[in-house]
């Protein structure tokens, strides 16, 4: 009776912490969600997920099949709620929240409720996770599925070791195989997580073969089933590998720096503070080392699960990029961040007995303060690319009192110019399309083929206002000359970073 009550209380506490962690992770991720400009790859998500299903099928048949499952999810979401920058990014913020809650369940099983609670605080502030929660791309879902698959793996192994009813054990393995397969569909390199799981199962079997052979057999069947199901997708996606031809092999120095500092603790799309990035990396790895030592002293099985998950994918992609073909990008390893968070938390908890917890508190703050600075930079720091969010805000403000009808001329920019109209359609709503020669859907690509700014400027019949957006001074001068010939007068340009300008012409 007393044992049942204790188990019930433990389960209640576990679920309460997991629920609170889900809410916490979502709230941390959703703050200032749309302030940073929408990135080029996010625009690809919008372009793929807002066209017709027929046009979508034609697109992924030629390019980006590797992201097709994520695009399908976003297509259904946009069909339901419509597109907006918030709608683009909110699913990722929610995915980080759910992953934080599931990590509590996983970490509590592997370590303790205290470690699980600290891990829930740490995870949303790991910079690569903070970035994933603000991106209209798949990394947040890759992370979520990695946590879910690992949790199912552990539950299936527990059921097998306890010799539960065969139907129960099979149900756990089927659930694991389905989630593992889905994770590969969402992102091909998630197969590395499944490989980590296979290694973990093998290592724990070698430690106690007489007890754990049932789990080994079940895991082998589940992994093989998921792998065989994923083969057709992997072969089709490999046929589109030309889309990552821009990658280059990392130098040895670059590989080391990426692995210890940049991969988990920086965000390449904005100007982050180098000192903060380095500080959070140093403290995190220090706590990981403490957590690993503490787990070794306790002979904990947690390391069998966590260390392969943390280390193997990075080593595999860096080695492949160095010696075979370039495939490494730091954000590709976002799905390993939960293992990092649990080990950081394990380090914090392991130091609780020292100095009445002061050492733990100081080190946790030493992690959270610079991590919080990077978290804020991810949302608000100047982007390294064209700041289309600023352009959209300025254009929206400038259009108040606009003389109608009005049109838009898109000039040359560092990135495809119709990113602005794709990512921020509300800012250009009601403007005549003077820029499109062939639509993105009609040419089976993410972006349209444009007329060119000078040609567009000659097509202003019936318009009272023309807006020009671009960053080429020479082109702007030619556009101004054409519009002057049509009776337009230029107003004071509005800048949005570098040579990028918005110019209003009226007549």
């Amino acid at each position: 009776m007393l044992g049942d009550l204790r188990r019930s209380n433990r389960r209640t506490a576990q679920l309460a912490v997991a629920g609170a962690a889900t809410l916490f992770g979502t709230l941390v991720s959703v703050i200032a969600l749309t302030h940073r400009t929408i990135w080029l790859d996010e625009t690809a998500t919008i372009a793929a997920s807002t066209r017709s299903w027929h046009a979508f099928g034609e697109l992924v048949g030629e390019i980006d099949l590797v992201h097709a499952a994520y695009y399908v999810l976003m297509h259904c979401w946009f069909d339901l709620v419509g597109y907006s920058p918030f709608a683009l990014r909110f699913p990722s913020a929610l995915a980080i929240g759910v992953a934080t809650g599931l990590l509590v369940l996983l970490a509590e099983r592997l370590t303790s409720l205290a470690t699980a609670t600290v891990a829930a605080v740490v995870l949303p502030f790991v910079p690569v996770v903070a970035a994933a929660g603000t991106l209209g791309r798949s990394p947040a879902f890759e992370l979520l599925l990695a946590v879910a698959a690992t949790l199912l793996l552990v539950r299936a192994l527990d059921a097998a070791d306890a010799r539960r009813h065969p139907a129960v054990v099979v149900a756990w393995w089927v659930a694991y195989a389905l989630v593992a397969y889905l994770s590969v569909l969402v992102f091909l390199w998630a197969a590395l997580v499944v490989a980590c799981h296979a290694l973990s199962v093998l290592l724990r079997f070698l430690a106690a073969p007489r007890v754990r052979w049932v789990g080994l057999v079940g895991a082998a069947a589940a992994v093989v089933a998921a792998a065989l199901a994923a083969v057709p997708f992997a072969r089709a996606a490999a046929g589109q590998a030309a889309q990552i031809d821009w990658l280059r092999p990392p130098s040895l120095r670059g590989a080391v720096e990426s692995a210890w500092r940049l991969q988990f603790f920086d965000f390449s799309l904005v100007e982050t503070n180098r000192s903060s990035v380095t500080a959070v990396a140093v403290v995190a790895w220090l706590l990981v080392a403490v957590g690993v030592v503490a787990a070794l002293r306790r002979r904990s099985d947690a390391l069998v699960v966590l260390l392969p998950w943390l280390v193997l994918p990075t080593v595999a992609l860096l080695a492949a990029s160095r010696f075979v073909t370039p495939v490494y990008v730091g954000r590709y390893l976002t799905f390993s961040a939960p293992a990092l968070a649990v080990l950081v938390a394990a380090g914090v908890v392991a130091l609780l007995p020292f100095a009445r917890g002061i050492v733990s508190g100081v080190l946790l703050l030493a992690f959270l303060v610079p991590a919080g600075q990077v978290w804020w930079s991810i949302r608000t720091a100047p982007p390294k690319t064209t700041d289309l969010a600023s352009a959209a805000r300025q254009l929206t403000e400038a259009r108040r009192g606009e003389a109608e009808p009005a049109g838009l001329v898109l000039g040359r920019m560092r990135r495809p110019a119709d990113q602005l109209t794709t990512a921020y359609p509300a800012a250009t709503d009601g403007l005549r399309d003077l820029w499109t020669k062939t639509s993105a859907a009609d040419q089976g690509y993410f972006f349209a083929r444009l007329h060119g700014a000078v040609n567009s400027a000659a097509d202003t019949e019936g318009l009272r206002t023309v807006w020009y957006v671009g960053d080429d001074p020479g082109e702007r001068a030619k556009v101004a000359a054409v519009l002057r010939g049509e009776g337009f007068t230029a107003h004071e340009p509005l800048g949005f970073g570098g040579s990028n300008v918005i110019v209003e012409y009226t007549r």
Side-chain angles (χ1 to χ4, degrees):
M1 177 74 77
L2 185 58
D4 290 341
L5 181 60
R6 286 176 177 170
R7 281 192 293 272
S8 176
N9 289 340
R10 177 183 173 183
R11 185 65 174 169
T12 300
Q14 183 188 60
L15 292 176
V17 174
T22 300
L23 181 60
F24 175 75
T26 303
L27 290 176
V28 169
S29 300
V30 85
I31 294 171
L33 188 62
T34 61
H35 186 275
R36 190 187 68 247
T37 191
I38 289 175
W39 174 44
L40 179 68
D41 284 17
E42 291 181 283
T43 312
T45 297
I46 304 161
S49 305
T50 54
R51 64 186 62 197
S52 71
W53 284 106
H54 175 73
F56 170 75
E58 292 182 336
L59 174 73
V60 297
E62 298 295 329
I63 188 172
D64 237 14
L65 178 64
V66 70
H67 294 300
Y70 172 70
Y71 291 155
V72 167
L73 171 67
M74 295 304 292
H75 202 304
C76 294
W77 172 245
F78 290 148
D79 287 346
L80 180 65
V81 304
Y83 168 74
S84 69
F86 183 84
L88 171 68
R89 290 174 170 170
F90 177 72
S92 293
L94 181 61
I96 296 301
V98 175
T100 305
L102 291 180
L103 188 64
V104 167
L105 304 181
L106 175 63
E108 192 277 339
R109 163 58 186 82
L110 295 175
T111 56
S112 66
L113 187 58
T115 300
T117 304
V118 176
V121 174
V122 168
L123 182 66
F125 286 102
V126 175
V128 71
V129 179
T134 65
L135 285 174
R137 296 297 282 175
S138 61
F141 290 91
E142 299 159 24
L143 184 150
L144 169 60
L145 289 168
V147 175
T150 307
L151 178 60
L152 288 169
L153 174 76
V154 170
R155 295 302 188 197
L157 290 171
D158 286 346
D161 290 350
R163 300 298 192 267
R164 300 280 299 279
H165 191 283
V168 174
V169 177
V170 169
W172 279 115
W173 285 123
V174 169
Y176 168 76
L178 288 173
V179 173
Y181 171 62
L182 179 59
S183 68
V184 175
L185 289 186
V186 170
F187 187 56
L188 189 59
W189 291 127
L192 292 171
V193 177
V194 182
C196 294
H197 292 164
L199 177 59
S200 297
V201 172
L202 178 61
L203 291 174
R204 71 188 296 278
F205 166 75
L206 293 176
R210 291 186 178 181
V211 177
R212 293 171 172 172
W213 67 269
V214 176
L216 179 68
V217 171
V223 168
V224 169
L228 290 176
V231 165
F233 168 73
R235 293 181 62 182
Q240 298 179 357
Q243 70 188 71
I244 58 170
D245 281 350
W246 57 275
L247 293 176
R248 294 293 177 266
S251 65
L252 179 60
R253 180 179 179 180
V256 171
E257 183 174 20
S258 293
W260 88 267
R261 196 176 75 87
L262 301 179
Q263 174 178 294
F264 291 122
F265 307 111
D266 200 7
F267 184 52
S268 61
L269 299 182
V270 300
E271 302 289 347
T272 53
N273 183 286
R274 182 179 178 85
S275 297
S276 295
V277 171
T278 301
V280 70
V282 169
V283 176
W285 289 120
L286 173 62
L287 287 168
V288 166
V290 173
V292 169
V293 170
L296 287 172
R297 293 180 64 182
R298 295 195 313 271
R299 299 181 181 275
S300 170
D301 282 346
L303 295 183
V304 174
V305 175
L306 296 173
L307 282 182
W309 186 6
L310 177 62
V311 176
L312 180 60
T314 298
V315 172
L317 287 192
L318 283 173
S321 297
R322 182 76 176 161
F323 302 112
V324 184
T325 188
V327 291
Y328 173 84
V329 177
R331 64 179 178 275
Y332 289 178
L333 283 309
T334 301
F335 54 64
S336 289
L340 177 82
V342 175
L343 288 171
V344 166
V348 171
V349 172
L351 293 171
L352 280 174
F354 298 94
R356 298 182 180 180
I358 293 175
V359 175
S360 289
V362 168
L363 285 175
L364 182 57
L365 284 175
F367 172 86
L368 289 175
V369 170
Q373 291 174 335
V374 179
W375 173 88
W376 187 244
S377 295
I378 287 168
R379 286 155 169 77
T380 63
K384 294 180 181 179
T385 186
T386 305
D387 192 352
L388 295 176
S390 177
R393 286 190 288 267
Q394 292 200 58
L395 182 58
T396 300
E397 180 66 25
R399 288 188 62 196
R400 294 181 180 179
E402 169 186 86
E404 297 180 345
L408 176 64
V409 173
L410 293 177
R412 297 192 189 100
M413 287 192 272
R414 289 175 58 193
R415 295 293 191 177
D418 57 330
Q419 264 194 267
L420 175 63
T421 56
T422 302
Y424 297 99
T428 60
D429 184 45
L431 296 179
R432 183 192 297 178
D433 180 349
L434 303 177
W435 67 88
T436 302
K437 184 175 183 179
T438 307
S439 72
D442 286 343
Q443 67 169 353
Y445 192 56
F446 298 113
F447 305 104
R449 182 180 292 116
L450 306 186
H451 278 300
V454 176
N455 292 332
S456 299
D459 185 24
T460 58
E461 183 179 353
L463 297 180
R464 296 180 59 196
T465 302
V466 172
W467 297 93
Y468 167 81
V469 182
D471 69 0
D472 186 327
E475 177 190 68
R476 177 158 46 109
K478 293 177 182 179
V479 168
V482 171
L483 290 174
R484 277 198 304 270
E486 297 292 329
F488 286 91
T489 300
H491 295 247
E492 188 69 22
L494 304 172
F496 58 97
S499 58
N500 297 292
V501 295
I502 301 169
V503 184
E504 180 185 14
Y505 296 88
T506 57
R507 65 180 175 187

